[in-house]
């Protein structure tokens, strides 16, 4: 058995398992949305984080990375067991066609595994559904869990898409809204105390690498 898995969230920058090949490309008729709850990595049951999943959408595309695992049953089993533990909040494994270029008529790979979720709050307890941009940004700005802040997940995804040469406008818009929310929160904390201090303002620009570096140095 040889399998390919499509990464479109944290798998883009942190696969976490041994793989034999990595290919940048896209899937068609799916879009990336932040409609899935995370309660064990970037959030908690009381304050869930928002992480991305794939939503079927005719004509849409979603860029990401496909990883190949080969080398025998034991190695492949270990990789899949790791992925199933890590992606436990996704209730489906969809098989998708993977393309190297947007205008390709034939997929480069077929039967690629993508961890996805049922868009139904009744049958899928981790599905949060869509929300206004400001509400999502407020949730992402404040949620944190054992693996870190929800906002870092978003900013790292923004940077990862920049690094592979396929920035996602939706991710950039949401990340900029989170930055606005963080600035508002910072002002509220500083204003009553009338403190004079250096306030690091991360601008809403289209260069994620510089932004993440600014965050880490502040």
């Amino acid at each position: 058995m040889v399998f390919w898995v499509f990464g479109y969230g944290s798998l883009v920058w942190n696969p976490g398992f041994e793989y034999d090949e990595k290919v940048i490309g896209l899937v068609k008729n799916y879009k990336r949305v932040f409609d899935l709850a995370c309660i064990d990595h970037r959030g908690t049951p009381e304050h869930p984080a928002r992480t991305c999943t794939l939503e079927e959408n005719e004509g849409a595309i979603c860029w990401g990375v496909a990883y190949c695992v080969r080398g025998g049953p034991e190695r492949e089993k270990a990789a899949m067991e790791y992925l199933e533990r890590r992606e436990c909040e996704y209730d489906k494994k969809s098989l998708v066609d993977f393309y190297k270029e947007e205008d390709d008529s034939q997929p480069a790979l077929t039967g690629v595994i993508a961890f996805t979720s049922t868009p139904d709050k009744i049958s899928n307890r981790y599905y949060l559904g869509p929300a206004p941009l400001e509400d999502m940004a407020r949730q992402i700005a404040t949620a944190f869990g054992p693996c870190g802040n929800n906002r870092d997940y978003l900013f790292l995804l923004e940077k990862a898409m920049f690094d592979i040469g396929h920035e996602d406008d939706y991710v950039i818009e949401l990340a900029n809204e989170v930055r606005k929310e963080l600035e508002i929160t910072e002002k509220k904390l500083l204003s009553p105390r009338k403190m004079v201090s250096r306030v690091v303002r991360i601008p809403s620009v289209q260069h994620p690498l510089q932004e993440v570096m600014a965050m880490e140095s502040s």
Side-chain angles (χ1 to χ4, degrees), residues 134 137-138 141 177-186:
E134 295 82 1
R138 195 172 300 113
E177 194 65 33
V178 170
R179 292 184 184 98
K180 291 179 185 177
E181 185 64 31
L182 292 173
E183 286 190 356
I184 291 171
T185 301
E186 185 178 38

Side-chain angles (χ1 to χ4, degrees), residues 59-70:
I61 63 168
C62 178
W63 283 91
V65 178
Y67 298 98
C68 176
V69 178
R70 60 172 72 95

Side-chain angles (χ1 to χ4, degrees), residues 6-211:
F6 179 60
Y8 57 90
S10 61
L11 291 179
V12 178
W13 77 85
N14 180 29
F17 61 94
E18 292 186 8
Y19 59 88
D20 298 284
E21 190 175 352
K22 171 183 174 179
V23 182
I24 296 171
L26 65 122
V27 297
K28 297 182 178 182
N29 299 320
Y30 285 95
K31 67 177 182 179
R32 184 187 286 108
V33 294
F34 275 74
D35 291 352
L36 190 69
C38 177
I39 64 172
D40 59 351
H41 286 77
R42 300 282 182 170
T44 64
E46 296 76 22
H47 301 287
R50 274 190 178 264
T51 53
C52 60
T53 185
L54 290 181
E55 177 183 285
E56 291 189 52
N57 187 277
E58 187 68 27
I61 63 168
C62 178
W63 283 91
V65 178
Y67 298 98
C68 176
V69 178
R70 60 172 72 95
E74 291 302 318
R75 193 161 179 269
E76 293 149 13
K77 179 182 178 183
M80 182 54 70
E81 287 179 347
Y82 166 80
L83 286 167
E84 288 177 340
R85 289 194 303 271
R86 174 170 166 172
E87 310 293 275
C88 60
E89 281 128 346
Y90 296 83
D91 65 334
K92 293 172 59 180
K93 293 188 191 76
S94 300
L95 298 180
V96 298
D97 292 338
F98 180 84
Y99 300 80
K100 290 186 178 180
E101 299 292 341
E102 186 175 346
D103 57 357
D104 282 354
S105 59
Q106 296 297 323
L109 300 164
T110 59
V112 177
I113 298 169
F115 286 84
T116 59
S117 53
T118 304
D120 183 343
K121 294 182 180 180
I122 296 176
S123 61
N124 181 2
R125 67 192 183 98
Y126 295 112
Y127 182 69
L128 295 173
L133 188 70
E134 295 82 1
D135 293 347
M136 287 197 294
R138 195 172 300 113
Q139 183 176 355
I140 292 170
T142 55
F144 65 91
C147 294
N149 295 321
N150 195 183
R151 60 181 179 268
D152 291 342
Y153 171 95
L154 173 60
F155 295 150
L156 285 168
L157 176 58
E158 182 187 31
K159 176 183 178 297
M161 299 309 297
F162 174 82
D163 288 344
I164 67 172
H166 294 285
E167 294 173 285
D168 186 317
D169 290 342
Y170 169 71
V171 172
I172 291 171
E173 182 182 19
L174 183 56
N176 284 337
E177 194 65 33
V178 170
R179 292 184 184 98
K180 291 179 185 177
E181 185 64 31
L182 292 173
E183 286 190 356
I184 291 171
T185 301
E186 185 178 38
K187 288 177 180 178
K188 287 180 179 178
L189 290 173
L190 292 174
S191 180
R193 296 156 60 185
K194 299 186 182 302
M195 294 178 61
V196 178
S197 61
R198 183 177 66 89
V199 178
V200 178
R201 300 183 184 280
I202 302 176
S204 299
V205 297
Q206 308 299 317
H207 300 288
L209 178 58
Q210 296 177 3
E211 294 167 359

